[in-house]
């Protein structure tokens, strides 16, 4: 039986959720329709007017927050949370001093020296604070260091914080409020780059590797927020022990991606992981392009080992047939075929929507958005995993006439430039558009090279294979545990 969202929680409806009529909601991730029964309408009215007070409202609130139709607003914490902060560090005394100072001594802190070459420098920094220092004789990576620190924790909650982070006032208390929900295992803030005067640093401020954006979400593999990093994470200690394998919370075989593996194991075990971007923690990003690209390469190498552990969560691109056909026709400069496939996609979606008993208003706009997102996704996929082929196509496009050759160059260029230009136009970062676009392309290439390297080492091609979703709006029915509603979902 599903555990209701506890009394006192309020809801905020996701911006993409549509109230189609008094009894029908549409949205979520993946998209679905939620039809309310008479009891569900009563529960929905209670949730719109105030906090959860009844069991039915709690059950409906759980369904809404689990599916991404809405997001929880926990009641404010009544008492300070019992937490211990664990900071893994290796050869970063200056950053560690800044990190400790930002915490302000409000909570117990365990600093784990992961085999620093100058242990005295770190010891001096820790000695000037109220933190406890634990030293590892050899470096095992961040995951191993966090595990060592976790052995020292006796509080109900643990905060993982990297030494290159700078905390903000009240961030732990704000995130810990979510644990009023007994199913929440972990909550992450938005990790934003510290300001920098270099072009690489300015790029990272807009497109940082740990920044998951300004939209809150439940963390679910394959969704808009599929994981959260442990650079800054508040976790329920009991949940960590629940998913430990052979006594290890972090997989010791993973040098990178150990946090993704942990989050996905928590999800698989039935725990909830939340991303709350209203709370921010600052993070030191590389200030040189070499540093940015090297970091992205290393992150990419985790894809192969993660695919061995979570193969169903690793699709790099999910394609819907009709939008994909439309995009391919446009890239091939076949407007009649593109128009026909787009018309067919609208007709097919109209039929599906009518079968679900929904109004067809907005279907054309939705399918147009689907084509646009498919074009951006195909472009990024090609840049990450087939950049040499795209480059060769620009130089030697083939074709029997100059018009055809330049047409092919234009199609390839649109794939390379589509997402970087779109991102720059929406964010308007401090860095100029030329360096931003070139940096974005180099970023994708570096990450893709890391994925290729990781796949070779792990002997798997799973992170390279796109997934085709043949039934993008599959309709099914499911009951809310206390029966206030029925659901039609898409998967």
């Amino acid at each position: 039986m599903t555990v209701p969202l506890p009394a006192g929680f309020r809801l905020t409806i996701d911006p993409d959720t549509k109230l189609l009529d008094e009894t029908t909601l549409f949205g979520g991730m993946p998209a679905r329709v939620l039809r309310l029964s008479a009891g569900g309408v009563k529960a929905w009215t209670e949730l719109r007017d105030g906090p959860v007070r009844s069991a039915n409202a709690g059950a409906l609130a759980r369904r809404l927050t689990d599916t991404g139709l809405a997001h929880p607003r926990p009641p404010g914490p009544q008492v300070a949370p019992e937490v211990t902060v664990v900071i893994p560090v290796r050869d970063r005394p200056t950053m560690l001093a800044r990190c400790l100072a930002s915490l302000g001594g409000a909570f117990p802190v365990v600093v784990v020296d992961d085999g620093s070459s100058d242990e005295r420098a770190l010891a001096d920094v820790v000695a000037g604070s109220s933190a406890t220092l634990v030293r590892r004789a050899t470096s095992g990576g961040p995951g191993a260091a966090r595990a060592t620190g976790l052995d020292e924790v006796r509080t109900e909650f643990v905060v993982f914080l990297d030494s290159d982070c700078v905390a903000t006032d009240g961030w732990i208390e704000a995130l810990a409020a979510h644990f009023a929900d007994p199913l929440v295992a972990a909550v992450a803030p938005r990790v934003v780059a510290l300001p920098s005067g270099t072009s690489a640093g300015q790029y990272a401020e807009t497109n940082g590797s740990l920044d998951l954006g300004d939209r809150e979400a439940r963390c679910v593999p394959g969704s808009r927020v599929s994981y959260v990093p442990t650079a800054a994470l508040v976790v329920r200690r009991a949940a960590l022990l629940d998913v430990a394998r052979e006594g290890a919370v972090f997989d010791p075989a993973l040098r990178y991606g150990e946090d993704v593996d942990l989050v996905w194991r928590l999800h698989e075990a039935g725990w909830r992981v939340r991303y709350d971007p209203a709370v921010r923690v600052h993070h030191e990003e590389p200030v040189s392009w070499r540093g940015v690209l090297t970091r992205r390469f290393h992150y990419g190498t985790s894809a192969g080992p993660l695919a061995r552990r979570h193969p169903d969560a690793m699709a790099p691109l999910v394609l819907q047939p009709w939008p994909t056909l439309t995009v391919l026709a446009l890239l091939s400069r076949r407007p009649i075929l593109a128009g026909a496939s787009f018309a067919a996609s609208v007709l097919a979606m109209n039929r599906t929507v009518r079968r679900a008993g929904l109004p067809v208003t907005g279907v054309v706009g939705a399918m147009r958005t689907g084509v646009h997102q498919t074009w951006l996704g195909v472009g990024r996929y090609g840049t990450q995993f087939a950049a040499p082929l795209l480059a060769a196509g620009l130089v030697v496009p083939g074709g029997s006439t100059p018009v055809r050759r330049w047409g092919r160059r234009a199609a390839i260029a649109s794939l390379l430039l589509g997402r970087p230009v779109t991102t720059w136009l929406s964010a308007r970062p401090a860095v100029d558009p030329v360096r931003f676009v070139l940096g974005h392309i180099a970023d994708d290439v570096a990450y893709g090279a890391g994925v290729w390297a990781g796949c070779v080492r792990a002997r798997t091609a799973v992170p390279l294979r796109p997934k085709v979703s043949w039934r993008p709006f599959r309709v099914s029915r499911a009951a809310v545990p206390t029966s206030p509603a029925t659901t039609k979902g898409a998967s």
Side-chain angles (χ1 to χ4, degrees):
M1 179 177 179
T2 301
V3 178
L5 203 65
F9 272 79
R10 295 175 181 267
L11 295 186
T12 294
I13 302 303
D14 187 83
D16 291 338
T17 297
K18 309 296 182 184
L19 184 62
L20 301 179
D21 56 43
E22 294 181 354
T23 63
T24 310
L25 291 89
F26 173 78
M29 180 63 73
R32 68 196 64 224
V33 176
L34 181 70
R35 293 189 184 281
L36 303 176
S37 64
V41 171
K42 183 177 179 181
W44 171 244
T45 301
E46 177 182 325
L47 294 173
R48 286 192 302 178
D49 293 343
V52 172
R53 296 188 300 274
S54 66
N56 273 9
L60 179 58
R62 176 68 70 189
R63 174 59 62 88
L64 293 171
T65 56
D66 275 357
T67 56
L69 288 160
H71 306 292
R73 289 291 177 269
Q78 302 301 313
V79 296
E82 295 184 357
V83 306
T84 301
V85 182
V86 173
I87 303 177
V89 63
R90 183 169 182 258
D91 295 325
R92 289 175 171 177
T94 302
M95 289 185 184
L96 176 63
R98 183 183 60 187
C99 181
L100 290 172
S102 71
L103 289 170
F107 299 99
V109 177
V110 176
V111 175
V112 182
D113 181 354
D114 188 33
S116 294
S117 57
D118 186 356
E119 60 180 285
R120 174 51 55 190
L122 285 183
D124 289 344
V125 169
V126 175
S129 70
S130 59
T132 300
L133 178 63
V134 178
R135 176 169 171 79
R136 290 173 52 88
T138 58
S139 175
R146 294 187 190 105
T148 298
L150 188 61
D151 291 339
E152 306 296 320
V153 174
R154 297 296 179 267
T155 52
E156 184 178 3
F157 303 103
V158 57
V159 176
F160 294 122
L161 185 67
D162 282 0
S163 60
D164 55 358
C165 287
V166 179
T168 54
D169 292 340
W171 76 283
I172 292 177
E173 294 88 340
L175 296 181
H178 286 273
F179 293 104
D181 179 356
L183 295 188
V184 169
V187 190
R190 184 177 182 181
V191 181
V192 296
L194 285 166
S196 168
T198 68
S199 61
Q202 291 169 343
Y203 168 82
E205 289 175 38
T206 301
N207 211 43
S209 56
L210 300 181
D211 189 347
L212 302 178
D214 60 359
R215 296 279 300 277
E216 63 186 308
R218 178 189 173 192
C219 177
V220 177
S223 69
R224 175 168 48 82
V225 178
S226 61
Y227 75 97
V228 288
T230 47
L233 188 68
V234 185
V235 193
R236 192 186 299 270
R237 184 165 165 265
L240 294 177
L241 299 178
D242 179 53
V243 300
R245 293 177 177 172
E246 299 180 357
V249 171
F250 293 97
D251 191 330
L254 291 174
R255 187 78 178 195
Y256 298 97
E258 78 288 343
D259 46 2
V260 180
D261 172 64
L262 171 63
V263 167
W264 287 351
R265 280 188 282 124
L266 288 169
H267 172 75
E268 291 165 1
W271 292 96
R272 306 306 193 263
V273 178
R274 299 291 315 176
Y275 173 60
D276 187 350
V279 182
R280 293 190 173 196
V281 167
H282 299 285
H283 181 254
E284 180 91 7
E285 291 284 345
V287 295
S288 70
W289 284 109
R290 180 177 181 179
V292 169
L293 301 181
T294 299
R295 176 172 288 185
R296 287 291 286 164
F297 174 84
H298 287 315
Y299 286 165
T301 61
S302 67
L306 285 171
R308 287 291 188 184
R309 294 157 175 79
H310 310 276
D312 295 335
M314 294 303 298
L317 177 66
V318 178
L319 298 171
Q320 308 291 343
W322 284 116
T324 302
L325 179 58
T326 302
V327 168
L328 292 177
L330 289 172
L331 292 173
S332 302
R333 303 175 314 286
R334 297 182 179 180
I336 295 177
L337 177 59
S341 62
F342 184 78
S345 70
V346 171
L347 292 174
M349 184 57 70
N350 276 339
R351 183 175 57 185
T352 301
V353 168
R354 286 196 182 98
R355 286 178 178 176
L358 302 175
V360 297
T361 304
V363 167
V364 173
M367 298 310 297
R368 185 168 57 244
T369 299
V371 170
H372 180 253
Q373 292 300 321
T374 300
W375 167 60
L376 294 179
V378 170
R380 188 168 199 182
Y381 176 86
T383 304
Q384 288 180 335
F385 303 118
L389 294 180
L390 294 181
L394 286 174
V395 177
V396 186
S400 57
T401 66
V403 172
R404 290 186 177 181
R405 288 193 288 271
W406 282 107
R408 290 179 182 179
R409 285 193 176 102
I412 293 171
S414 77
L415 294 177
L416 285 168
L417 301 176
R419 185 173 290 275
V421 171
T422 300
T423 303
W424 189 90
L425 290 173
S426 62
R428 297 291 181 175
V431 63
D432 65 86
V434 173
R435 277 185 287 188
F436 183 89
V437 169
L438 293 176
H440 198 298
I441 293 172
D443 187 337
D444 283 342
V445 172
Y447 178 79
V451 173
W452 276 105
C455 288
V456 170
R457 293 169 191 164
R459 298 183 181 180
T460 177
V462 169
L464 304 171
R465 293 200 297 259
K467 178 181 178 181
V468 178
S469 178
W470 294 101
R471 303 180 68 181
F473 196 77
R474 184 173 57 196
V475 178
S476 61
R477 292 185 180 273
V480 172
T482 52
S483 299
T486 58
T487 301
K488 290 182 179 181
S491 60

